[in-house]
Amino acid sequence: MYIINRHRRLRLNESIRSMVRENNLSPQDFILPIFIAEGQNVKDPIASMPGVFRYSLDLLPQEIDEIWNLGIRAVNIYVKVDASLKDNTGKEAWNGDGLMQRAIKVVKQTAPEMVVMPDVALDPYSIYGHDGIVKNGYVLNDETVEALVKMSVSHAEAGADFVAPSDMMDGRVAAIRDGLDENGFENVGIMSYAAKYASSFYGPFREALDSAPIDNQDVPKDKKTYQMDYHNSLEALREAEADVMEGADIVMVKPGMAYLDIVKMVKDQLQVPVSVFQVSGEYAMIKAAAEKGWLDHDKIMLESLTCFKRAGADLISTYFAKEASILLNNH
């Protein structure tokens, strides 16, 4: 048989493969999640996430300078709140002198062009470890949304470029958009966690922030009444479409590697900027397998990140951002 189409011609060597490559990674694709803690000279390692630390504000400028020089242009900020400041209202979340607000200011002072995307959810501030206000064994929706609006406006006042509501309360994007606009922050964007699943991949993150739901009979034992059921996909499209209609500028899918179908569906159907979060459990699995010698760390890291691009993600929030950027810059 005479073969007309020899597809392997386009795979003969790296020069040819790179010429016809459909998707490429760059440091500008990444959002780096950063954990912040109170104190001085704190660089506290997170045991379940090798290479990830909680930083005190005095060490934050050095970290920001480093990642800016690598080409990373966006950060997610998460704060570890002292237990004495936690309650069931989340009021510390909109304290103008709170840890989050101070962290935003430090980042913007260090690198004014860095895109700052602070997390908007009550779980770091909650005595119950939930993303909202708990009453009679249920996480309240509308009362929580009111708190999230206050939190978002406070972040904008501190200098945030985007707010990133990760709570999955109904109607919060529209309420946050109204709250920002009413307070003169019409140019502050919203990156909504539009399709955030109730996933078992979040374990190391909750250790990092001490934000897991507490074991109490009057408190929901998990977050399944507001985060999405991982059996569903069309529901994710409805959630993302609703957030876009309510004013979201970017929609996020979380977790990442096990949800590439959701990334692709949202991108194909809505044609809006899509971000994806390669979460703590995904990061920890790759790190653990590499430490055992079962996987090639750098190769599997870059392959997993490229798969997000192939699925349609415009932005990737990943704890690998620094390591991947170093490799890409030296390639």
Side-chain angles (χ1 to χ4, degrees), residues 86-91 122 125-128 132-135:
K86 297 184 179 185
D87 62 14
N88 190 34
T89 70
K91 64 180 181 296
L122 296 187
Y125 305 89
S126 169
I127 53 174
Y128 300 129
I133 298 166
V134 179
K135 183 177 181 181

Side-chain angles (χ1 to χ4, degrees), residues 241-312:
E241 187 172 24
D243 282 5
V244 172
M245 295 294 292
E246 291 180 18
D249 303 282
I250 304 169
V251 293
M252 176 177 277
V253 175
K254 182 180 181 181
M257 290 191 293
Y259 296 82
L260 295 179
D261 60 319
I262 307 302
V263 175
K264 180 170 177 53
M265 180 177 64
V266 170
K267 184 64 177 182
D268 288 350
Q269 293 296 319
L270 299 185
Q271 294 291 300
V272 298
V274 175
S275 57
V276 64
F277 205 134
Q278 186 179 41
V279 299
S280 58
E282 301 171 61
Y283 175 88
M285 289 193 302
I286 291 175
K287 286 291 186 182
E291 287 177 3
K292 290 284 189 180
W294 296 338
L295 294 174
D296 183 306
H297 177 277
D298 292 351
K299 289 181 179 179
I300 200 71
M301 172 180 67
L302 292 179
E303 181 178 342
S304 66
L305 293 169
T306 302
C307 289
F308 295 130
K309 292 284 288 185
R310 192 189 65 230

Side-chain angles (χ1 to χ4, degrees), residues 68 113 131 156 166 178 191 196 230-231 236 262 277 290 306 317:
W68 179 266
E113 297 301 313
D131 292 37
S166 63
D178 287 345
M191 179 177 70
K196 181 178 180 180
Y230 66 77
H231 298 83
I262 307 302
F277 205 134
T306 302
S317 187

Side-chain angles (χ1 to χ4, degrees), residues 110-222:
T110 305
E113 297 301 313
M114 182 70 78
V115 178
V116 179
M117 300 172 153
D119 180 59
V120 175
L122 296 187
D123 51 329
Y125 305 89
S126 169
I127 53 174
Y128 300 129
H130 274 284
D131 292 37
I133 298 166
V134 179
K135 183 177 181 181
N136 298 326
Y138 184 71
V139 176
L140 302 177
N141 192 91
D142 296 7
E143 293 85 346
T144 296
V145 168
E146 293 176 9
L148 298 175
V149 173
K150 296 176 186 177
M151 187 178 184
S152 297
V153 171
S154 178
H155 291 177
E157 290 172 343
D161 300 283
F162 283 77
V163 293
S166 63
D167 56 286
M168 291 298 288
M169 298 297 123
D170 291 329
R172 91 276 204 213
V173 173
I176 290 171
R177 184 71 270 159
D178 287 345
L180 291 171
D181 292 352
E182 289 169 2
N183 285 276
F185 297 111
E186 61 274 0
N187 288 327
V188 173
I190 299 174
M191 179 177 70
S192 74
Y193 289 56
K196 181 178 180 180
Y197 284 83
S199 171
S200 297
F201 283 101
Y202 302 146
F205 174 91
R206 290 174 180 167
E207 175 196 335
L209 292 186
D210 187 25
S211 62
I214 67 168
D215 186 11
N216 186 303
Q217 64 178 1
D218 296 322
V219 177
K221 69 182 188 305
D222 54 42

